[in-house]
Amino acid sequence: MLDKTIKDWSSEAAALEIEGRAFIDGQYRDALSGETRTTMSPANGQDLADVAVCGTEDADRAVVVARSAFESGVWAAMAPADRKTVLVRWAQLIEDHADEIALLECLDAGKPITDTSGGDVPAAARTIRWSGEAIDKVYDQVAPTPANCLALVQRLPLGVVAAIVPWNFPLTTTAWKLAPSLATGNSVILKPASNTPLTALRIAGLASEAGLPDGVLQVLPGPGGSLGRHLALHQDIDGLTFTGSTEVGKQLMQYAGQSNLKRTFLELGGKSPNIVFADANLEKAAAFAAIAVFFNGGQTCTAGTRLIVEDGIRERFVDMVIAQSKKWMPGNPLDPATTMGPMIDAGQLQTVANYVAVGQEEGASLVAGGKQIMLDSGGSYHEPTIFNDVDNGMRIAREEIFGPVMSVIGFKDAEEAVAIANDSIYGLAGAVWSNNINTAHKVAAAVRVGTMGINNYFGGDMTVPFGGFKQSGNGRDKSMHAFDDYTELKTIWIELD
Ligand code: NAP
């Protein structure tokens, strides 16, 4: 992929055969209604493929198939070492088809090809391989009982799990859900976002090719409000794992309560603080302040959208970040030189434009960007945008914009920086930049978020859990901790004569 040009990628895109049917019981199938929806590329608004619109009847069929696969034990009762073999083979097949999948993700989500081929696809393969390789190394427990007893504490799969994922990291979040849920022996029904169903559908076929038994994995494209809701309310689904907005996450908790109390784990929104002290490496901090917000066009749950800067350096530092923001001017995602692509659709672009207006009305200083660009492209492109002189009470500091908009807030000392950082309904991620280990560590410890970087942003890999405090969710993706979301603990107490 390294030497490919925009021309190479464009001609490969033109030659792609795109699968848009649902994946049920090991086969691609049309929706029972026959209904389809044309999905389009956010880069230029052009049609990509007709995708099945699954309804409640498809969901019910998928649940029956998944339940039957689970009860048969064809996967759940398979030796963990054999499940590992299948998952590792699946990861390898994803790598073997890396360019095709990277291209699909680029076209479907508008993500730069450099990101999908260098980030999303390898990350998905790594996630599946890591979970597969881990699963035959997890031991259950024997409890510390009196000598006449033996108590086993076992970890068992939930049964049938529904996974509902968003459009901003379609492939990565799909892998974060599928790898641990399948590794632990569940049968799974995945509902991709309506905007971005293509890579999930593609890798489902590869899972079969890798040896995943029929019925263990279903992928159903369709609308969240009907299909997603039906899955969340279903009486025969045991677990629900979700990545998406806090608003929908709250509904899903209610659906679980209204139905069968299915185990429900949520990865939700954020308004993450990125705190910069005067004694930090400012060059590096400025580069990462821009990465933290403009990567993926700010359509990132962990985006460091509140840049909280020590008063004495704020003006100088903002100038450095403005200079960095120029590296993030959007472009055609098929161009390997592009760092930022379009917003996912016109609706998201409008949301960003509305918040830019709100920021100005609230009295913040617009110091960079603020406009839609590439108007003739057919896509929804927005400049990297920076507001200075933001108060943490303003809407642009409190609400998740999900676009390339940074709010810069000043602070006088560490105590105030922490107070501002924690004054949010969210608690997903954050970072602190300082060359004083005492300051950095104390601030990192005091900020109430699931992941905190010290002198980095977006740090982490498969070995560490990922998830939120407060209204950023519960449960954890990645690492061995993800297995907890997809398993029940069972005690077997034996009395010996
Ligand atoms: P969203 O609107 O909540 O949608 C997410 C998924 O839920 C989509 O598949 C959607 O289907 C479905 N859905 C919508 N309404 C539903 C309902 N009533 N019942 C069941 N399912 C429903 O979120 P989004 O706009 O796609 O994604 C952006 C959000 O995701 C942001 O808030 C972001 O912070 C969050 N996010 C969080 C993380 C994390 O790990 N914490 C990671 C990435 C993104 P349709 O596509 O058909 O509407």
Side-chain angles (χ1 to χ4, degrees):
M1 102 80 199
L2 280 178
D3 329 329
K4 285 191 184 168
T5 63
I6 183 169
K7 206 165 147 225
D8 299 328
W9 286 114
S10 304
S11 59
E12 283 184 34
L16 269 183
E17 282 178 27
I18 300 179
E19 180 59 72
R21 290 173 295 169
F23 188 81
I24 301 177
D25 204 9
Q27 285 183 27
Y28 287 106
R29 299 166 193 261
D30 294 323
L32 286 170
S33 67
E35 199 186 329
T36 59
R37 167 186 190 271
T38 305
T39 181
M40 58 100 196
S41 168
N44 52 23
Q46 286 173 10
D47 293 349
L48 282 177
D50 290 334
V51 176
V53 178
C54 293
T56 55
E57 64 288 1
D58 298 287
D60 291 341
R61 177 165 75 156
V63 173
V64 169
V65 166
R67 173 65 58 196
S68 148
F70 182 73
E71 299 294 339
S72 76
V74 63
W75 179 248
M78 189 186 268
D82 295 335
R83 290 206 298 265
K84 170 182 74 176
T85 303
V86 173
L87 292 174
V88 169
R89 217 186 280 138
W90 187 22
Q92 184 60 51
L93 283 171
I94 290 173
E95 284 167 352
D96 293 348
H97 294 80
D99 280 8
E100 178 203 343
I101 299 168
L103 196 48
L104 271 180
E105 188 82 329
C106 167
L107 296 172
D108 206 18
K111 296 165 85 81
I113 190 71
T114 306
D115 291 352
T116 61
S117 57
D120 304 83
V121 176
R126 227 171 15 243
T127 301
I128 292 166
R129 179 177 286 116
W130 196 95
S131 301
E133 284 178 342
I135 199 62
D136 67 344
K137 283 116 194 140
V138 184
Y139 287 75
D140 288 339
Q141 294 171 326
V142 173
T145 53
N148 65 334
C149 297
L150 176 64
L152 311 178
V153 182
Q154 296 178 317
R155 200 189 269 268
L156 301 177
L158 295 178
V160 176
V161 169
I164 300 180
V165 294
W167 46 260
N168 62 333
F169 288 88
L171 181 63
T172 314
T173 38
T174 291
W176 284 5
K177 304 304 189 192
L178 294 186
S181 59
L182 291 173
T184 44
N186 295 281
S187 292
V188 185
I189 300 165
L190 179 107
K191 193 206 89 61
S194 294
N195 278 323
T196 53
L198 299 182
T199 46
L201 289 170
R202 180 65 184 103
I203 69 166
L206 294 178
S208 270
E209 219 175 302
L212 191 73
D214 293 352
V216 174
L217 171 63
Q218 280 54 239
V219 178
L220 302 187
S226 50
L227 172 65
R229 179 173 180 277
H230 187 71
L231 292 169
L233 280 166
H234 209 288
Q235 295 286 359
D236 201 29
I237 289 180
D238 307 289
L240 175 61
T241 177
F242 173 74
T243 296
S245 60
T246 295
E247 188 189 351
V248 173
K250 286 182 178 183
Q251 286 175 347
L252 297 186
M253 279 280 191
Q254 292 180 28
Y255 297 155
Q258 285 162 19
S259 53
N260 61 344
L261 276 183
K262 54 183 66 65
R263 307 293 176 261
T264 299
F265 293 102
L266 310 170
E267 303 290 349
L268 309 175
K271 194 75 193 179
S272 297
N274 186 15
I275 304 169
V276 181
F277 283 85
D279 66 0
N281 175 340
L282 295 183
E283 283 296 329
K284 189 174 174 197
F288 273 85
I291 293 169
V293 179
F294 304 131
F295 171 67
N296 209 36
Q299 301 168 124
T300 306
C301 52
T302 47
T305 46
R306 290 186 297 151
L307 180 62
I308 304 174
V309 187
E310 192 166 347
D311 284 335
I313 57 156
R314 181 154 60 99
E315 294 310 322
R316 178 160 66 99
F317 189 69
V318 167
D319 285 343
M320 293 166 74
V321 179
I322 293 171
Q324 289 290 335
S325 74
K326 307 295 177 215
K327 299 179 182 167
W328 293 89
M329 291 310 279
N332 182 344
L334 281 173
D335 184 343
T338 293
T339 51
M340 185 165 101
M343 303 288 90
I344 188 74
D345 58 22
Q348 194 62 27
L349 179 71
Q350 190 55 51
T351 301
V352 173
N354 291 348
Y355 275 108
V356 170
V358 165
Q360 288 171 301
E361 282 157 24
E362 288 179 309
S365 313
L366 180 64
V367 293
K371 288 195 298 294
Q372 180 186 1
I373 54 172
M374 297 173 65
L375 297 172
D376 298 335
S377 64
S380 304
Y381 296 83
H382 197 279
E383 292 177 314
T385 297
I386 302 175
F387 279 105
N388 196 1
D389 307 312
V390 176
D391 182 277
N392 199 50
M394 293 178 183
R395 283 182 61 200
I396 56 166
R398 304 201 80 73
E399 298 174 18
E400 188 182 43
I401 299 172
F402 230 52
V405 183
M406 178 189 297
S407 296
V408 185
I409 304 166
F411 72 84
K412 59 178 185 318
D413 56 22
E415 199 184 337
E416 190 184 17
V418 169
I420 293 169
N422 283 336
D423 180 16
S424 171
I425 62 164
Y426 297 112
L428 189 55
V432 53
W433 297 80
S434 168
N435 276 336
N436 180 327
I437 190 168
N438 297 308
T439 308
H441 192 69
K442 281 182 180 164
V443 169
V447 177
R448 303 275 303 154
V449 296
T451 302
M452 191 73 185
I454 295 182
N455 295 336
N456 69 81
Y457 206 94
F458 294 138
D461 62 18
M462 257 312 277
T463 60
V464 289
F466 176 86
F469 287 18
K470 303 196 269 185
Q471 294 188 39
S472 291
N474 60 349
R476 291 294 181 268
D477 288 325
K478 304 201 301 173
S479 83
M480 306 285 242
H481 295 280
F483 295 151
D484 296 341
D485 292 6
Y486 302 104
T487 50
E488 299 276 23
L489 286 182
K490 176 165 183 171
T491 299
I492 296 187
W493 183 273
I494 304 164
E495 299 215 352
L496 305 168
D497 290 332

